[in-house]
Amino acid sequence: MRKRFDVAGSERRIRLDPDLLPAAERSGTHRSEYQSVLLRLADQAAGAAADLLALAVPVDCVCCGAEDRALCIQCDRHIRRLTRDPFRAESGAPALMDVGGAMLLPVVAAGVYREELAQALLSFKRHGQYQLRSSLGRALAGGLRSALPGTEANCLVPVPSSNAAFLKRGFSPVHLLLREVTRQLPGPAVEDVLEKTGSGGLQLPGGQKGLDRGGRAKRVRGSMRVRRRGRNKVAGQRCIIVDDVLTTGATLSEAARALHLAGAVVTGAVVLAATRPPDSSGTGAASAEPRGMEHDLEKNKPRKDE
């Protein structure tokens, strides 16, 4: 809008065509998950260091193969899109529902296990792509932000990896992601009190992959307990269980059982991604659902890496 004056000196306003004279562009403000300036600066410094390292040791995006980054900007944007709307996922996990359809444990998933989210998580777990922990940790923090209000939770309890998986990878994916979560989401403390007992009912090579609902339940039954030194930390406390992938819910159910025996009050669980539970034969391929469609757990087959 510009002001002009006619020959009589009266003011007249002229509306300008925005296509011919577009408004001046403004610099975008920085949007960050961090509430601390120091953490944000540290994150930016880490990003700059990753760029310098890419010049010396070339890497490719784990999702699309683009050069220079383990996760390119475009694929990172897709992961943000896949995890921008956390949702309740227990209805897709038969071990968390009773025969009457009543919920046994509420679960919030940050996203559906598919596309870039699934590929990034597999690369993080199987191939030790630690650079992905920032993006995946941000997604998990989003799921926790959605789950925490109303739960009055005092602590977050990670699901432990099996001894064989830990020796193979050299790290626990859930614990590593929770370190990122605590940087971005101040709140309940992380209490690492669960441990594997090594006494699961069914032991087969290849982990839980390929097992049906009954096989998974037998494998994890009695496989977890709360450490003796950790019982006082969770007794009487309201806890949220944290895991990476939800399939049938057998693992979360076993973790909840162990915490209940130690006197903890389990208010729910949060996972990074949720999949469709396996069918009776344990077969099925991953969903090829195109981008832009609504989340549908019934279109996703499990490929959880144990």
Side-chain angles (χ1 to χ4, degrees), residues 6 50 69 92 96 119 130 138 213 257 267:
D6 55 21
R69 287 177 177 266
L96 302 179
Q119 187 62 44
Y130 304 118
R138 179 184 62 237
R213 174 185 175 183
R257 182 199 64 80
T267 60

Side-chain angles (χ1 to χ4, degrees), residues 2-305:
R2 287 184 179 177
K3 295 181 180 179
R4 286 189 179 179
F5 297 89
D6 55 21
V7 292
S10 60
E11 182 178 326
R12 183 177 58 174
R13 296 177 181 272
I14 301 176
R15 186 177 297 277
L16 301 177
D17 188 340
D19 293 328
L20 297 178
L21 293 173
E25 295 183 356
R26 297 181 180 179
S27 59
T29 56
H30 180 79
R31 295 179 295 176
S32 172
E33 294 82 7
Y34 300 118
Q35 297 180 355
S36 169
V37 176
L38 292 178
L39 288 177
R40 185 170 67 243
L41 292 176
D43 187 55
Q44 293 172 346
D51 291 338
L52 292 175
L53 183 62
L55 295 177
V57 184
V59 294
D60 296 335
C61 175
V62 300
C63 297
C64 69
E67 297 179 351
D68 294 338
R69 287 177 177 266
L71 185 67
C72 71
I73 296 175
Q74 187 71 14
C75 291
D76 186 38
R77 186 179 297 117
H78 287 315
I79 291 178
R80 287 175 181 263
R81 177 184 59 80
L82 290 168
T83 57
R84 69 185 176 188
D85 298 314
F87 59 94
R88 291 284 293 273
E90 68 275 0
S91 61
L96 302 179
M97 308 292 290
D98 66 11
V99 292
M103 172 190 64
L104 300 178
L105 182 70
V107 181
V108 172
V112 175
Y113 186 78
R114 61 187 178 95
E115 298 176 5
E116 288 83 4
L117 179 59
Q119 187 62 44
L121 183 53
L122 283 176
S123 297
F124 175 68
K125 295 175 64 175
R126 290 182 177 178
H127 306 297
Q129 293 286 354
Y130 304 118
Q131 306 94 319
L132 305 178
R133 67 184 183 274
S134 177
S135 180
L136 296 177
R138 179 184 62 237
L140 183 58
L144 283 165
R145 285 192 188 95
S146 178
L148 284 174
T151 63
E152 300 179 357
N154 304 111
C155 59
L156 307 176
V157 180
V159 172
S161 297
S162 65
N163 293 335
F166 186 85
L167 290 175
K168 181 180 179 180
R169 298 175 183 141
F171 68 100
S172 170
V174 178
H175 291 74
L176 200 58
L177 291 178
L178 273 178
R179 291 181 186 176
E180 289 295 315
V181 169
T182 54
R183 293 178 61 202
Q184 302 180 21
L185 183 64
V190 176
E191 299 293 354
D192 184 18
V193 297
L194 287 175
E195 66 177 357
K196 293 284 188 175
T197 64
S199 59
L202 177 65
Q203 300 295 328
L204 295 175
Q208 297 190 86
K209 187 175 180 180
L211 296 179
D212 60 9
R213 174 185 175 183
R216 287 173 182 260
K218 291 179 181 179
R219 182 179 178 87
V220 302
R221 187 175 301 152
S223 64
M224 293 186 208
R225 66 188 174 197
V226 173
R227 298 186 181 95
R228 291 184 179 180
R229 296 181 179 180
R231 292 177 182 175
N232 293 334
K233 296 181 180 179
V234 296
Q237 301 295 316
R238 298 174 67 87
C239 305
I240 289 181
I241 304 171
V242 182
D243 202 2
D244 51 4
V245 178
L246 172 67
T247 49
T248 66
T251 300
L252 291 180
S253 179
E254 172 62 16
R257 182 199 64 80
L259 287 169
H260 281 308
L261 289 178
V265 180
V266 180
T267 60
V270 174
V271 297
L272 177 59
T275 72
R276 174 188 171 180
D279 54 26
S280 58
S281 63
T283 60
S287 170
E289 181 182 356
R291 295 191 180 99
M293 298 184 66
E294 295 296 327
H295 295 322
D296 185 359
L297 295 180
E298 293 304 314
K299 293 183 179 179
N300 293 275
K301 292 287 186 176
R303 284 189 177 181
K304 182 173 181 180
D305 176 45

